[in-house]
Amino acid sequence: MKSRTVHIVGAGGLVGASSAAALLAKPGSWNIHLVDIAAELVSGQALDLNDATAFLADTHVRVGEYKDIRADDIVVITSGIPRRADQSRLDLIGTNAGIMTKVVQSIMAQGQPVFIFVVSNPVDLMTRVAIEVSGLPSERVFGTGTTLDTARLLVAIAGELKVPPSTIDALVLGEHGDSSVAAFEAATVSGQPLTKLPQYSLEWAERITNDIRAHARKIIETKKSTHWGIGAVVANIVEALTLEQGQTFPVGVMASGQYGLSDVVLGLPATVSANGAKILPNYPLTAAEIGALQDSANVLQQTWADYKSAQHSTEKR
Ligand SMILES: NC(=O)c1ccc[n+]([C@@H]2O[C@H](COP(=O)([O-])OP(=O)(O)OC[C@H]3O[C@@H](n4cnc5c(N)ncnc54)[C@H](O)[C@@H]3O)[C@@H](O)[C@H]2O)c1
């Protein structure tokens, strides 16, 4: 089997290293290159993670450099500061947009048509920065969007109904943050509509929605960062990027008219395959869910506009 090279920028940190660890559990042959400005830290992560490859057929982990990037490689970006429990993800925009810009410029300086997969927060806006700076086609640049929120929803519903998460089909869409939208009307459990189950009620759905929105803050309060769940999300989407047959994830993509949304990056139903990420235009959302999705898009548009005008006034000074 052809080995795939995945570069993880920011891999000295918890999210990047956990993503590499989760990728080691995926079948196939991987070359995992860890890139970080913290040279000592990333060399330690590479040595430690490479020990785990002893039990695999043909997978290697080492410290990488931008000049190793080749056409169609997958570049995962986790560099940037994480939020504190008293912060929103949107509070990180100034610092992390500067880091994202430099990282994407370094990637693009290699002149290769790569796939850029953004994880750093606020992930929807950082994906937008990566799209702007890279100039790559939109199917090649996308973010984790609401895939982690969706993972949390599946685990929460599974816990309530006492069924395996794999029997549930449901998506959270919109901002990876407080305005996210859980699309309950299309959700199914073993093929049956979730809304027809006796346990379902609007209050029940609202409680679960609030729980998953508060979930990350709870983890950050106890152990300062969330990294195992997002690591699993990254590994599953990276694996999908190596396969011909598409898989559906609510990744962060640039909308161009779908669901009444344009010129905004947010979590939308998309097919991820070896061709990149492509928005699914016909996911069955109700009018109320589309309205909530548009409200979520407005939150992101406003934050983006504020960031752009702050950037403009700094440049003028
Ligand atoms: N998308 C999601 O769902 C999701 C979930 C969890 C965390 N995150 C985000 O992931 C990011 C990383 O979190 P973390 O806990 O790993 O943080 P961390 O502080 O542990 O790691 C960040 C790493 O980025 C590196 N870095 C900084 N500037 C760099 C540059 N210019 N080039 C290369 N590397 C650089 C740092 O040296 C550090 O090792 C945060 O923004 C966090 O909010 C996203």
Side-chain angles (χ1 to χ4, degrees):
M1 191 184 178
K2 189 173 164 269
S3 70
R4 283 303 297 260
T5 301
V6 181
H7 310 261
I8 305 180
V9 183
L14 283 167
V15 172
S18 302
S19 301
L23 203 49
L24 294 182
K26 290 286 170 195
S29 162
W30 303 95
N31 286 316
I32 305 175
H33 291 185
L34 308 184
V35 182
D36 201 298
I37 45 166
E40 224 176 292
L41 183 61
V42 76
S43 72
Q45 296 285 24
L47 289 172
D48 195 2
L49 282 159
N50 203 39
D51 287 348
T53 65
F55 307 100
L56 305 171
D58 186 24
T59 284
H60 310 274
V61 186
R62 67 169 174 85
V63 173
E65 292 180 63
Y66 290 107
K67 67 176 172 50
D68 303 328
I69 293 174
R70 299 283 174 270
D72 296 331
D73 280 357
I74 298 164
V75 188
V76 179
I77 307 180
T78 67
S79 52
I81 52 167
R83 68 173 168 144
R84 299 187 309 266
D86 62 347
Q87 284 180 309
S88 128
R89 295 176 182 92
L90 297 177
D91 293 334
L92 308 175
I93 187 166
T95 310
N96 284 354
I99 296 174
M100 184 61 60
T101 301
K102 278 196 215 135
V103 166
V104 176
Q105 283 168 342
S106 304
I107 295 166
M108 295 316 296
Q110 312 312 311
Q112 304 291 345
V114 290
F115 292 96
I116 295 181
F117 180 34
V118 178
V119 186
S120 318
N121 272 321
V123 69
D124 307 295
L125 302 173
M126 292 306 101
T127 306
R128 191 163 180 166
V129 171
I131 291 171
E132 266 194 16
V133 175
S134 70
L136 285 166
S138 58
E139 66 273 14
R140 281 185 175 260
V141 192
F142 59 95
T144 50
T146 37
T147 313
L148 180 56
D149 316 63
T150 296
R152 289 172 178 154
L153 178 68
L154 300 184
V155 172
I157 297 176
E160 296 264 339
L161 302 182
K162 311 226 175 335
V163 297
S166 57
T167 59
I168 302 164
D169 209 343
L171 294 179
V172 178
L173 304 171
E175 177 201 1
H176 170 51
D178 294 340
S179 69
S180 64
V181 182
F184 283 104
E185 290 294 332
T188 59
V189 180
S190 298
Q192 302 304 311
L194 172 67
T195 54
K196 298 279 182 282
L197 296 183
Q199 292 91 336
Y200 183 84
S201 68
L202 285 178
E203 295 71 40
W204 184 85
E206 198 177 309
R207 177 170 56 79
I208 290 194
T209 304
N210 290 335
D211 283 354
I212 59 169
R213 284 188 188 142
H215 195 85
R217 189 161 277 127
K218 260 193 208 160
I219 300 173
I220 293 169
E221 275 167 1
T222 57
K223 53 173 277 199
K224 293 205 169 65
S225 75
T226 70
H227 56 102
W228 296 120
I230 187 64
V233 162
V234 170
N236 278 283
I237 296 175
V238 166
E239 182 186 40
L241 265 174
T242 66
L243 303 172
E244 286 308 317
Q245 199 184 350
Q247 286 180 53
T248 303
F249 292 99
V251 286
V253 276
M254 175 64 88
S256 51
Q258 301 87 347
Y259 309 100
L261 305 164
S262 287
D263 200 31
V264 61
V265 173
L266 75 178
L268 289 178
T271 307
V272 179
S273 72
N275 297 317
K278 202 167 182 310
I279 298 174
L280 285 170
N282 299 320
Y283 191 78
L285 297 175
T286 62
E289 287 167 345
I290 291 181
L293 202 50
Q294 286 167 344
D295 291 344
S296 185
N298 290 341
V299 170
L300 290 164
Q301 300 271 40
Q302 189 55 54
T303 314
W304 180 255
D306 293 347
Y307 157 67
K308 280 290 184 188
S309 83
Q311 201 189 25
H312 189 63
S313 24
T314 318
E315 278 164 13
K316 272 205 328 209
R317 260 189 250 136

